């Protein structure tokens, strides 16, 4: 439930006080300052309105307050005071931006490359030659440089527990540092409207110990085994025949076609369709049977597969762990 109500109040407050990264904590503190300050201003203005309404209501004498049109001192005061508040928060924001957007050492290449696509996330680790989708694994406590770009329209990367958001813009890669301070799974979402399935462009960041991460990397680098049983074997040959390979790779090779998500280890992921449904046989079958019913607008065509074909392909894909 918590993953569905991504921005519930309970979630918000638990996030506010238990951020899982230093950057996210600093952002939350700044936001809280804004919130308190704006709350005070709202209370003052709201209070003044309520007092005026009661004090100068019809029938009460005097029914009109003393008019102060052209009061120079007052006009100066209510120009300078709000301006000072805006400048104060502008400076605080600039300071925090400078702290979070640490400069990138010369020649430093991105540890992780995120390519936003309608409507899922292509995730690559260039040095490790690993490619996956929607579920990012990172080792705890390591500061990683992330390059965020887009293959189509403007998207926006945001995992609130782990730091700031950043736009994914076609032709304009943006860089962001990611350092998770806590082990766990943290959810995020695309936060720039990007089309029909914008709401189902969820992100999952799995923060684990270095040893667990290394284990995951080793598995991801492995070329998947050939299927063991006959149904899955039939699925593997269908995968080639039905031109699935034109868009999806199952060879753990980042240089293969990646129009759609890499499927080399799809069986090891927790969700399908960028966090929309759990990774189960039933959901995968339903998707293969009629992609548009499960995620309208998705670029996956309906291949009008027969029941046995769906069964075989599902068996094959679920084996790719
Ligand atoms: Cu991608 Cu909104």
């Amino acid at each position: 439930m918590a993953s569905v109500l991504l921005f519930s109040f309970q979630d918000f407050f638990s996030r506010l006080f238990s951020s899982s990264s230093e950057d996210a904590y600093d952002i939350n503190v700044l936001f809280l300052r804004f919130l308190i300050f704006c709350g005070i201003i709202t209370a003052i203005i709201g209070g003044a309105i309520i007092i005026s309404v009661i004090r100068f209501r019809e029938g009460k004498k005097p029914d009109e307050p003393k008019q102060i049109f052209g009061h120079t001192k007052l006009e100066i005061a209510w120009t300078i005071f709000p301006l000072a508040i805006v400048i104060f928060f502008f400076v605080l924001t600039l300071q925090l931006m400078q702290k979070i957007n640490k400069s990138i050492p010369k020649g430093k290449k991105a540890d992780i490359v995120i390519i936003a696509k309608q409507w899922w996330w292509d995730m690559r680790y260039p040095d490790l030659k690993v490619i996956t989708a929607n579920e990012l694994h990172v080792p705890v406590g390591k500061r990683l440089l992330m390059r965020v770009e887009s293959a189509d329209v403007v998207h926006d990367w945001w995992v609130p527990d782990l730091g700031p958001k950043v736009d994914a813009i076609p032709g304009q890669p943006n860089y962001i540092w990611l350092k998770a301070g806590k082990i766990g799974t943290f959810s995020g979402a695309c936060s720039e409207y990007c089309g029909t399935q914008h709401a189902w462009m969820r992100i999952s960041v799995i923060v684990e110990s270095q040893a667990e991460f290394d284990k995951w990397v080793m598995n991801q680098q492995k070329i998947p085994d050939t299927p063991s049983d006959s149904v899955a074997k039939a699925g593997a040959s269908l995968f080639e025949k039905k031109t699935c390979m034109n868009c999806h790779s199952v060879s753990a090779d980042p240089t293969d076609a990646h129009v759609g998500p890499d499927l080399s280890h799809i069986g090891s992921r927790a969700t399908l369709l960028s966090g929309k449904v759990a990774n189960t046989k039933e959901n995968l079958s339903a998707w293969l049977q009629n992609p548009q019913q499960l995620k309208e607008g998705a670029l996956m065509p309906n291949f009008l597969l027969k029941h046995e074909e769906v069964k075989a392909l599902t068996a094959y894909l679920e084996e790719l762990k």
Side-chain angles (χ1 to χ4, degrees):
M1 196 63 186
S3 70
V4 176
L5 297 172
L6 191 66
F7 300 110
S8 73
F9 277 109
Q10 199 192 345
D11 241 26
F12 168 74
F13 281 106
S14 71
R15 283 218 171 97
L16 202 58
F17 300 111
S18 68
S19 323
S20 309
S21 84
E22 222 176 280
D23 291 349
Y25 178 78
D26 289 342
I27 293 169
N28 287 347
V29 168
L30 179 63
F31 179 71
L32 194 63
R33 282 185 178 177
F34 264 97
L35 197 67
I36 292 170
F37 222 89
C38 293
I40 292 171
I41 293 169
T42 308
I44 292 172
I45 294 172
I49 290 173
I50 291 169
I51 291 169
S52 307
V53 165
I54 296 170
R55 173 69 188 78
F56 300 105
R57 67 185 185 276
E58 205 177 81
K60 184 113 176 155
K61 294 279 169 198
D63 63 0
E64 198 177 75
K66 194 175 143 232
Q67 299 301 298
I68 48 165
F69 180 76
H71 195 298
T72 315
K73 272 187 196 152
L74 206 56
E75 291 201 357
I76 290 172
W78 72 41
T79 305
I80 285 180
F81 189 59
L83 194 67
I85 296 172
V86 171
I87 291 172
F88 175 63
F89 277 106
F90 179 63
V91 171
L92 285 184
T93 307
L94 277 187
Q95 279 177 341
L96 186 57
M97 282 171 76
Q98 211 173 21
K99 188 178 168 210
I100 287 175
N101 302 327
K102 289 181 181 60
S103 59
I104 301 165
K106 222 176 159 199
K108 164 94 182 143
K109 290 219 177 78
D111 301 298
I112 299 169
V113 175
I114 304 287
I115 307 164
K117 297 183 182 176
Q118 280 175 322
W119 291 277
W120 59 282
W121 305 89
D122 191 310
M123 300 166 162
R124 297 164 187 226
Y125 303 71
D127 291 342
L128 303 170
K129 301 210 166 25
V130 165
I131 175 163
T132 185
N134 306 322
E135 295 175 16
L136 190 74
H137 286 245
V138 292
V140 69
K142 253 197 162 169
R143 190 169 284 281
L144 302 164
L145 183 63
M146 241 169 52
R147 191 171 89 214
V148 180
E149 49 191 69
S150 168
D152 36 52
V153 298
V154 178
H155 302 266
D156 190 285
W157 168 275
W158 193 30
V159 182
D161 284 290
L162 300 179
K165 40 166 88 174
V166 64
D167 270 349
I169 302 165
Q172 172 58 60
N174 280 326
Y175 288 82
I176 184 179
W177 290 98
L178 181 82
K179 186 184 169 194
K182 231 194 251 174
I183 288 176
T185 301
F186 304 100
S187 30
C190 177
S191 54
E192 175 85 39
Y193 184 72
C194 56
T196 321
Q197 294 295 343
H198 156 72
W200 286 112
M201 217 177 138
R202 296 288 169 89
I203 305 159
S204 207
V205 179
I206 298 115
V207 182
E208 48 204 2
S209 66
Q210 186 67 49
E212 282 292 310
F213 175 73
D214 292 342
K215 219 166 88 187
W216 177 80
V217 167
M218 257 170 66
N219 186 56
Q220 295 292 308
Q221 288 167 334
K222 244 180 29 203
I223 297 165
D225 297 331
T226 33
S228 48
D229 73 294
S230 59
V231 183
K233 250 186 213 148
S237 87
L238 271 172
F239 193 87
E240 284 176 41
K241 273 192 223 139
K242 295 279 176 191
T243 66
C244 310
M245 282 176 132
N246 290 354
C247 297
H248 300 281
S249 166
V250 284
S251 58
D253 183 353
T255 59
D256 274 1
H258 283 102
V259 177
D262 189 282
L263 303 179
S264 310
H265 301 279
I266 186 182
S268 67
R269 288 181 211 144
T271 62
L272 300 170
L273 318 182
S274 211
K276 185 157 191 192
V277 294
N279 188 359
T280 63
K281 256 192 179 122
E282 293 71 36
N283 286 334
L284 186 53
S285 301
W287 168 249
L288 291 168
Q289 196 75 65
N290 187 357
Q292 295 306 310
Q293 200 171 18
L294 222 52
K295 198 166 180 180
E296 202 191 331
L299 293 179
M300 167 91 165
N302 188 342
F303 285 94
L304 303 170
L305 298 165
K306 292 191 200 79
H307 184 67
E308 308 80 69
E309 292 176 327
V310 170
K311 217 172 131 189
L313 279 167
T314 305
Y316 170 55
L317 292 170
E318 288 288 292
E319 265 197 26
L320 300 176
K321 296 221 163 139

